[in-house]
Amino acid sequence: MSTTTNVPLTERRYLAPFILITSLFFLWAFGVNLNDVLIPHFKKAFQLTDLQSSLIQAAFFGGYFLAALPAGWLMERIGYKKGILAGLAICATGALLFIPSANALSYYFFLFALFVMACGQSFLEVAANPYVTILGPSDSSERRLNLAQSFNSVGAVATPYIGAAFILTNTRPGAAAAEEVQNVIGPYVVIAAVFVLVAVMIALTHLPETKREVVGESGAHPKLRDALRHKHLASGVIAQFAYVGAQVGVGSFIIRFAEYLSPGMQDKDASVYLKYHWIGFMIGRFAGSFLMKYVAPSRLLTLFAGCAFLCACAAMFASGTLPVWGLVMIGFFHSIMFPTIFALGIKGLGPYTKLGSSLLVMAIIGGAAFPALMGYVSDLTSIRSAFCIPLLCYLYIWYFAAKGSVPAVVEAETQAA
């Protein structure tokens, strides 16, 4: 059991910044999770293979990967607030690029627009995740980040409804690609407008800045190789890579998997399973934040990783409707993984926190690699076989939670005792 029951979530002076930053978690959920709707939609509109349609995730999470370290370095120089404003501006630009992409009727232009949008969201991730962990007592940092991320899951739950209503409209059979792709413009213009609105609100609000941290008497900035000497950070980066790959891979193929199990099912009808998946995800985030008052975060993560593994086994080997419901249930067990891995990975890093945060955001590239790998396996064999990929991911996350998340200094003290 954890001993953090009486530790406050945050302090009064940090409450307003915490609420404002938490709103960002809600906002960027739309950019990430609409990809799960775009994949089947563009697959039909542009007549793509599973591998080609998975390039949506490759473009999006590739942007996360490439922008993460530059975002971290920029935060060191201009601070969190200006970095967040830069990220929101880039996000809005990427969303607005959907207009010329649709007019050009180019799948690869859409991929570029998603790449730009993802670069902006990488800025937001690099800033917001560590910022939330320092807005209060260290002992409740995992709870605080899980609570903030819970509002990200609220946005994730809303996304399939928006996608089904405005994108997956079951356009008439034989409709031209031009008619299909026009459906995506409206939602992304609205998203761009919201990004701009939030940027104005943040620009007019005071956010406390943490002082810039240096190492040693020379005043040198932290170095990447020194940060990676913290073994729990290195293990956390691998675990985050595996988790995001599993989360995005499962979400990307739920609609396709439901259609595979029930031939003739329309993508709009199949999207109901994606909705349930994200509802479970949201419930798990709030439940996990509550449970961490009483159960150590690493122990809870161990349990959730084990349950996700069993659900993936059901998707691969069970019969009837159990396989698709196994994928739905994985949403609940995914819920605490990202914020808990993140908080455990940067725990006790001190001056290496910003660099560690950048590395953990770079690990989001798993969301590009694993869906593409799953698409490749699906094209070669069957979509059911593709779920061996997330199954292996859950095994590593279980290892990280049980062993790899312990900081070396804590481990050494435990052995000495």
Side-chain angles (χ1 to χ4, degrees), residues 282-311:
M282 179 183 68
I283 293 171
R285 277 272 169 90
F286 284 104
S289 180
F290 172 77
L291 289 172
M292 283 181 192
K293 291 181 65 178
Y294 309 103
V295 182
S298 58
R299 290 187 182 181
L300 200 60
L301 182 59
T302 302
L303 175 63
F304 276 43
C307 291
F309 175 86
L310 295 177
C311 289

Short mmCIF file of all heavy atoms in Angstrom, two decimals, residues 282-311:
data_model
loop_
_atom_site.label_atom_id
_atom_site.label_comp_id
_atom_site.label_asym_id
_atom_site.label_seq_id
_atom_site.Cartn_x
_atom_site.Cartn_y
_atom_site.Cartn_z
N MET A 282 -11.57 6.61 -20.16
CA MET A 282 -11.88 7.75 -19.29
C MET A 282 -12.19 7.30 -17.87
O MET A 282 -11.68 7.88 -16.90
CB MET A 282 -13.06 8.54 -19.87
CG MET A 282 -13.48 9.74 -19.02
SD MET A 282 -14.93 10.59 -19.69
CE MET A 282 -16.19 9.35 -19.43
N ILE A 283 -13.02 6.28 -17.74
CA ILE A 283 -13.37 5.77 -16.41
C ILE A 283 -12.11 5.30 -15.68
O ILE A 283 -11.92 5.57 -14.49
CB ILE A 283 -14.39 4.62 -16.52
CG1 ILE A 283 -15.73 5.16 -17.04
CG2 ILE A 283 -14.60 3.94 -15.17
CD1 ILE A 283 -16.73 4.08 -17.39
N GLY A 284 -11.23 4.62 -16.40
CA GLY A 284 -10.00 4.13 -15.81
C GLY A 284 -9.09 5.25 -15.33
O GLY A 284 -8.43 5.12 -14.28
N ARG A 285 -9.05 6.37 -16.06
CA ARG A 285 -8.20 7.50 -15.65
C ARG A 285 -8.66 8.06 -14.31
O ARG A 285 -7.86 8.27 -13.41
CB ARG A 285 -8.24 8.59 -16.73
CG ARG A 285 -7.26 8.32 -17.88
CD ARG A 285 -5.88 8.92 -17.58
NE ARG A 285 -4.89 8.46 -18.54
CZ ARG A 285 -4.61 9.09 -19.67
NH1 ARG A 285 -5.28 10.17 -20.02
NH2 ARG A 285 -3.66 8.62 -20.47
N PHE A 286 -9.95 8.33 -14.19
CA PHE A 286 -10.46 8.89 -12.93
C PHE A 286 -10.36 7.86 -11.80
O PHE A 286 -9.98 8.21 -10.67
CB PHE A 286 -11.91 9.35 -13.11
CG PHE A 286 -12.05 10.64 -13.86
CD1 PHE A 286 -12.47 10.65 -15.19
CD2 PHE A 286 -11.75 11.86 -13.27
CE1 PHE A 286 -12.60 11.84 -15.90
CE2 PHE A 286 -11.87 13.06 -13.96
CZ PHE A 286 -12.30 13.05 -15.28
N ALA A 287 -10.68 6.60 -12.10
CA ALA A 287 -10.57 5.56 -11.08
C ALA A 287 -9.13 5.37 -10.65
O ALA A 287 -8.83 5.22 -9.46
CB ALA A 287 -11.14 4.24 -11.62
N GLY A 288 -8.20 5.41 -11.61
CA GLY A 288 -6.79 5.24 -11.28
C GLY A 288 -6.26 6.36 -10.41
O GLY A 288 -5.50 6.13 -9.47
N SER A 289 -6.68 7.60 -10.72
CA SER A 289 -6.26 8.73 -9.91
C SER A 289 -6.74 8.59 -8.47
O SER A 289 -6.01 8.91 -7.52
CB SER A 289 -6.81 10.04 -10.51
OG SER A 289 -6.43 11.16 -9.75
N PHE A 290 -7.95 8.06 -8.30
CA PHE A 290 -8.47 7.82 -6.95
C PHE A 290 -7.73 6.68 -6.26
O PHE A 290 -7.34 6.79 -5.09
CB PHE A 290 -9.97 7.51 -7.02
CG PHE A 290 -10.57 7.07 -5.71
CD1 PHE A 290 -10.85 7.99 -4.71
CD2 PHE A 290 -10.82 5.72 -5.47
CE1 PHE A 290 -11.38 7.58 -3.50
CE2 PHE A 290 -11.35 5.31 -4.26
CZ PHE A 290 -11.63 6.24 -3.27
N LEU A 291 -7.52 5.59 -6.97
CA LEU A 291 -6.89 4.41 -6.36
C LEU A 291 -5.46 4.68 -5.92
O LEU A 291 -4.96 4.05 -4.98
CB LEU A 291 -6.92 3.24 -7.35
CG LEU A 291 -8.29 2.61 -7.60
CD1 LEU A 291 -8.20 1.59 -8.73
CD2 LEU A 291 -8.81 1.94 -6.32
N MET A 292 -4.79 5.65 -6.57
CA MET A 292 -3.40 5.93 -6.22
C MET A 292 -3.26 6.62 -4.86
O MET A 292 -2.16 6.80 -4.37
CB MET A 292 -2.73 6.76 -7.32
CG MET A 292 -2.35 5.93 -8.51
SD MET A 292 -1.54 6.90 -9.80
CE MET A 292 -1.58 5.70 -11.14
N LYS A 293 -4.39 7.00 -4.27
CA LYS A 293 -4.34 7.47 -2.88
C LYS A 293 -4.01 6.31 -1.95
O LYS A 293 -3.49 6.52 -0.85
CB LYS A 293 -5.68 8.09 -2.48
CG LYS A 293 -6.02 9.40 -3.15
CD LYS A 293 -7.35 9.95 -2.65
CE LYS A 293 -7.30 10.31 -1.18
NZ LYS A 293 -8.58 10.89 -0.71
N TYR A 294 -4.31 5.08 -2.39
CA TYR A 294 -4.20 3.92 -1.51
C TYR A 294 -3.25 2.83 -2.04
O TYR A 294 -2.76 2.02 -1.26
CB TYR A 294 -5.59 3.30 -1.30
CG TYR A 294 -6.63 4.32 -0.89
CD1 TYR A 294 -7.57 4.80 -1.79
CD2 TYR A 294 -6.64 4.84 0.41
CE1 TYR A 294 -8.51 5.75 -1.41
CE2 TYR A 294 -7.57 5.80 0.79
CZ TYR A 294 -8.51 6.25 -0.13
OH TYR A 294 -9.43 7.20 0.24
N VAL A 295 -3.03 2.81 -3.34
CA VAL A 295 -2.18 1.79 -3.94
C VAL A 295 -1.00 2.47 -4.63
O VAL A 295 -1.19 3.45 -5.36
CB VAL A 295 -2.97 0.94 -4.97
CG1 VAL A 295 -2.08 -0.15 -5.57
CG2 VAL A 295 -4.21 0.34 -4.33
N ALA A 296 0.20 1.97 -4.41
CA ALA A 296 1.38 2.56 -5.04
C ALA A 296 1.23 2.55 -6.56
O ALA A 296 0.78 1.55 -7.14
CB ALA A 296 2.63 1.76 -4.63
N PRO A 297 1.57 3.65 -7.23
CA PRO A 297 1.40 3.73 -8.69
C PRO A 297 2.05 2.58 -9.44
O PRO A 297 1.47 2.05 -10.39
CB PRO A 297 2.06 5.07 -9.04
CG PRO A 297 1.91 5.89 -7.80
CD PRO A 297 2.06 4.93 -6.66
N SER A 298 3.25 2.17 -9.03
CA SER A 298 3.92 1.07 -9.73
C SER A 298 3.14 -0.23 -9.60
O SER A 298 3.06 -1.02 -10.55
CB SER A 298 5.35 0.90 -9.21
OG SER A 298 5.34 0.65 -7.81
N ARG A 299 2.55 -0.48 -8.44
CA ARG A 299 1.76 -1.70 -8.26
C ARG A 299 0.50 -1.68 -9.11
O ARG A 299 0.10 -2.69 -9.70
CB ARG A 299 1.38 -1.87 -6.79
CG ARG A 299 2.54 -2.23 -5.88
CD ARG A 299 2.06 -2.55 -4.49
NE ARG A 299 3.17 -2.85 -3.59
CZ ARG A 299 3.02 -3.18 -2.30
NH1 ARG A 299 1.81 -3.24 -1.78
NH2 ARG A 299 4.07 -3.44 -1.57
N LEU A 300 -0.14 -0.53 -9.17
CA LEU A 300 -1.36 -0.42 -9.98
C LEU A 300 -1.02 -0.60 -11.46
O LEU A 300 -1.77 -1.25 -12.21
CB LEU A 300 -2.01 0.94 -9.75
CG LEU A 300 -3.49 1.06 -10.12
CD1 LEU A 300 -4.34 0.07 -9.33
CD2 LEU A 300 -3.98 2.49 -9.88
N LEU A 301 0.11 -0.06 -11.89
CA LEU A 301 0.54 -0.20 -13.27
C LEU A 301 0.82 -1.67 -13.60
O LEU A 301 0.51 -2.14 -14.69
CB LEU A 301 1.77 0.65 -13.53
CG LEU A 301 2.33 0.65 -14.96
CD1 LEU A 301 1.28 1.13 -15.96
CD2 LEU A 301 3.59 1.52 -15.05
N THR A 302 1.41 -2.40 -12.66
CA THR A 302 1.67 -3.83 -12.85
C THR A 302 0.36 -4.59 -13.10
O THR A 302 0.26 -5.41 -14.02
CB THR A 302 2.38 -4.42 -11.62
OG1 THR A 302 3.60 -3.72 -11.38
CG2 THR A 302 2.68 -5.89 -11.82
N LEU A 303 -0.64 -4.29 -12.28
CA LEU A 303 -1.94 -4.95 -12.42
C LEU A 303 -2.59 -4.64 -13.76
O LEU A 303 -3.09 -5.54 -14.46
CB LEU A 303 -2.85 -4.51 -11.27
CG LEU A 303 -4.30 -5.00 -11.32
CD1 LEU A 303 -4.36 -6.52 -11.24
CD2 LEU A 303 -5.13 -4.36 -10.21
N PHE A 304 -2.59 -3.37 -14.15
CA PHE A 304 -3.24 -2.96 -15.39
C PHE A 304 -2.53 -3.54 -16.61
O PHE A 304 -3.18 -3.93 -17.59
CB PHE A 304 -3.31 -1.43 -15.47
CG PHE A 304 -4.48 -0.83 -14.75
CD1 PHE A 304 -4.85 -1.30 -13.48
CD2 PHE A 304 -5.22 0.20 -15.30
CE1 PHE A 304 -5.94 -0.75 -12.80
CE2 PHE A 304 -6.32 0.75 -14.63
CZ PHE A 304 -6.67 0.27 -13.38
N ALA A 305 -1.20 -3.62 -16.57
CA ALA A 305 -0.46 -4.20 -17.70
C ALA A 305 -0.78 -5.68 -17.85
O ALA A 305 -0.95 -6.18 -18.97
CB ALA A 305 1.05 -4.00 -17.49
N GLY A 306 -0.88 -6.39 -16.73
CA GLY A 306 -1.23 -7.80 -16.78
C GLY A 306 -2.62 -8.03 -17.34
O GLY A 306 -2.84 -8.95 -18.16
N CYS A 307 -3.58 -7.19 -16.96
CA CYS A 307 -4.95 -7.33 -17.46
C CYS A 307 -5.03 -6.99 -18.95
O CYS A 307 -5.78 -7.63 -19.71
CB CYS A 307 -5.89 -6.43 -16.67
SG CYS A 307 -6.13 -6.97 -14.95
N ALA A 308 -4.27 -5.99 -19.41
CA ALA A 308 -4.24 -5.65 -20.83
C ALA A 308 -3.68 -6.81 -21.65
O ALA A 308 -4.16 -7.10 -22.75
CB ALA A 308 -3.40 -4.40 -21.04
N PHE A 309 -2.67 -7.49 -21.10
CA PHE A 309 -2.10 -8.67 -21.77
C PHE A 309 -3.17 -9.74 -21.96
O PHE A 309 -3.30 -10.33 -23.04
CB PHE A 309 -0.94 -9.20 -20.93
CG PHE A 309 -0.34 -10.48 -21.45
CD1 PHE A 309 0.65 -10.45 -22.42
CD2 PHE A 309 -0.77 -11.71 -20.98
CE1 PHE A 309 1.20 -11.63 -22.92
CE2 PHE A 309 -0.22 -12.89 -21.46
CZ PHE A 309 0.78 -12.85 -22.43
N LEU A 310 -3.97 -10.00 -20.94
CA LEU A 310 -5.03 -11.01 -21.03
C LEU A 310 -6.09 -10.62 -22.05
O LEU A 310 -6.61 -11.46 -22.79
CB LEU A 310 -5.66 -11.23 -19.66
CG LEU A 310 -4.74 -11.83 -18.58
CD1 LEU A 310 -5.48 -11.91 -17.25
CD2 LEU A 310 -4.25 -13.21 -19.01
N CYS A 311 -6.42 -9.34 -22.12
CA CYS A 311 -7.41 -8.86 -23.10
C CYS A 311 -6.89 -9.03 -24.53
O CYS A 311 -7.65 -9.38 -25.44
CB CYS A 311 -7.75 -7.40 -22.84
SG CYS A 311 -8.74 -7.11 -21.35
#
